Amino acid sequence: MGFLDFLKGPDINQGVAEYDAVPGAVLLDVRTPQEYREGHIPGSINAPLQSLGGEESVPAGKDTPLFVYCHSGARSRQAVELLAQMGYVNAKNIGGIAAYAGEVER
């Protein structure tokens, strides 16, 4: 581990692998609907950051494992903080799709 490793964001490829390994987990894309249509990780659900807040905005129970991503990792970090305030106890920021090495759906 290098001296500045703490500055690096989460590794989305590792995060998606963790998501795949957790039965019942939900992969949340918190980008805008337009960004989602332009390409998203297969199996993800679009729950835009700007619409988070209502109970109906997150299609999962409060203890469901949520793996959250956006474009760069900034909005997903905000979303995880908001989800925690909403009572979700198992939300994880996995970073940004910009660094994703897998295939995307359109």
Side-chain angles (χ1 to χ4, degrees), residues 59-80:
K62 301 277 186 179
D63 60 347
T64 299
L66 302 174
F67 291 81
V68 185
Y69 75 92
C70 63
H71 178 75
S72 67
R75 284 178 283 179
S76 53
R77 180 178 35 81
Q78 293 173 0
V80 165

Side-chain angles (χ1 to χ4, degrees), residues 1-9:
M1 185 163 144
F3 178 69
L4 297 177
D5 281 353
F6 70 93
L7 293 175
K8 292 180 184 175

Side-chain angles (χ1 to χ4, degrees), residues 48-61:
L49 176 61
Q50 64 270 23
S51 69
L52 284 181
E55 294 295 320
E56 69 284 348
S57 65
V58 182

Side-chain angles (χ1 to χ4, degrees), residues 9-31:
D11 179 343
I12 190 164
N13 298 296
Q14 179 181 342
V16 171
E18 290 175 23
Y19 156 74
D20 285 337
V22 177
V26 174
L27 185 60
L28 284 183
D29 182 326
V30 295
R31 299 175 301 151

